Amino acid sequence: MKLTSKKDINSDKTLHVGRPNIGNIDMFKKLTDNIIESRWFTNSGQMVKAFEKTLCEYLNVRHCIPVCNGTVGLQIASQAMELKGEVIVPAFTFVASPHALQWEGIKPIFIDIDPSTHNLDPSKIESLISEKTSAILGVHIWGRPCNTYEIQKLADKHNLKVFFDAAHAFGCRHNGRMIGNFGNCEVFSFHATKFFNTFEGGAIATNDDDLAHKIRLMKNFGFESMDHVIHIGTNGKMSEICAAMGLACFDKLRDLIAVNRLNYNAYYEHLRNIPGIKLIEYSNQDEANYQYIAVEIDEDKSNITRDELMYRLHDQNIRARRYFYPGCHKMEPYKTLYPSQIHNVPCTDALCKRILVLPTGNTVTLSAIKKICKIIKKSSKK
Ligand code: T4K
């Protein structure tokens, strides 16, 4: 089999959303050598143990259990909390959030978003609670924390579990605490397209010792010890090579966030005076990772629709993405299984027509950002 040469890969001038960052490459190579020499590739080896310890210390959380990806992390969390019936989840999210529930036999009840935050609107929670509701799954979209206080208050009032899909929110702080410390548990994704990645991977963070114990069992087929299975389980383990990548990325975490922030500020400066183009803002009170450059295009104030702009950028080799179009409620199997939910989320529908995500991360230079913004400015001028 002929592999693509290094020259071919580097000559691809396309700018992508989600181009992987690489942390400390020398460290990664050394750790990889250790893995090969030790012949210990998975099943809670030294790399995963070290990665877990690093995550717990950084997040100041009692447990942060590495898993093979964020989606399986959400499934394991749902099983470990013994969720059933219905779970309230935003329709504006990556489809993995409702898929993880549906896969576990739980019906996702789609809740609308607050247009000013893109996160689920807590004022809409109570009208969606039924006797079948077992939990609320909040999603920290773009790494901007949900209104965790309101969500938890309502969950406590109705005796519901709360967990958060924190796939976008590694490295973010909210009300003085790191994301990872809210609800019954929070689930991170360390997928290649996330600014902090382990190729594929994720982690479940919790301060609940009993829940952590169950999660540890469940991600390893329910094994308590050799030959001793005491629980339903799956294969949710992170491999050693993935944990090594996590350690190498962690070594450069501050730099990765600094680059995201620099890029965000550059986009902000270039886009701020263009009518109809609005870059999302990150709160000064919370600490952000700035990993998503999400802009809203208001076609009434601009000369162009979101889709026209996206295709214009694609023509110039800039692979902008319209995450999370058209909204989970309009994707299968949900639109067929739950047609009555399709008209319940008007703010999500409106946002899905407006949002465009632009490239950022270590591979995107400030001059590339200037070029992207120039195209946007030219295209949107009335
Ligand atoms: N919850 C939320 C809110 C999420 O956003 C996600 C994942 C999850 C849960 C689930 O977590 P995981 O189970 O994935 O750990 C991508 C990612 O695959 C997905 O992980 C991510 N969210 C989502 C927002 O984005 P796609 O469909 O956009 O992937 P794809 O293949 O089109 O890649 C995006 C871009 O990245 C492409 O333009 C090319 C570039 N890319 C991608 C990969 C994999 C690279 O340059 N190199 C690469 O290795 O979903």
Side-chain angles (χ1 to χ4, degrees), residues 274-278 296-302 304 354 380:
I274 308 180
I277 305 289
K278 184 170 168 278
E296 285 182 55
I297 292 101
D298 179 345
E299 59 182 78
D300 295 334
K301 294 192 190 142
S302 158
I304 197 159
R354 295 158 67 96
S380 62

Side-chain angles (χ1 to χ4, degrees), residues 277-297:
I277 305 289
K278 184 170 168 278
L279 178 60
I280 59 159
E281 298 197 7
Y282 292 98
S283 145
N284 287 331
Q285 277 152 352
D286 291 332
E287 223 170 273
N289 60 28
Y290 298 90
Q291 76 170 309
Y292 284 100
I293 303 293
V295 289
E296 285 182 55
I297 292 101

Side-chain angles (χ1 to χ4, degrees), residues 181-199:
N181 287 276
F182 296 90
N184 294 88
C185 65
E186 302 205 65
V187 181
F188 295 107
S189 165
F190 303 141
H191 182 259
T193 55
K194 300 291 181 273
F195 87 101
F196 175 86
N197 86 90
T198 61
F199 300 118

Side-chain angles (χ1 to χ4, degrees), residues 16-20 69-71 74 93-94 96-97 139 165 167-168 189-194 200-201 292 319 321 323-324:
H16 292 273
V17 169
R19 203 77 168 149
N69 61 58
T71 310
L74 288 168
T93 178
F94 188 60
S97 325
V139 186
D165 178 337
H168 297 183
S189 165
F190 303 141
H191 182 259
T193 55
K194 300 291 181 273
E200 287 273 5
Y292 284 100
R319 304 291 300 173
R321 297 294 295 264
Y323 289 139
F324 299 98

Side-chain angles (χ1 to χ4, degrees), residues 28 34 60 63 123 142 153 196 202 207 239 249-250 253 255 259 261 275 281 293 303 321 326 342 364:
F28 176 67
N34 290 348
N60 199 15
H63 309 274
S123 73
W142 318 132
K153 199 170 81 180
F196 175 86
N207 285 307
S239 71
C249 280
F250 190 82
L253 183 64
D255 299 345
V259 168
R261 187 169 192 169
E281 298 197 7
I293 303 293
N303 192 33
R321 297 294 295 264
I342 237 160
V364 181

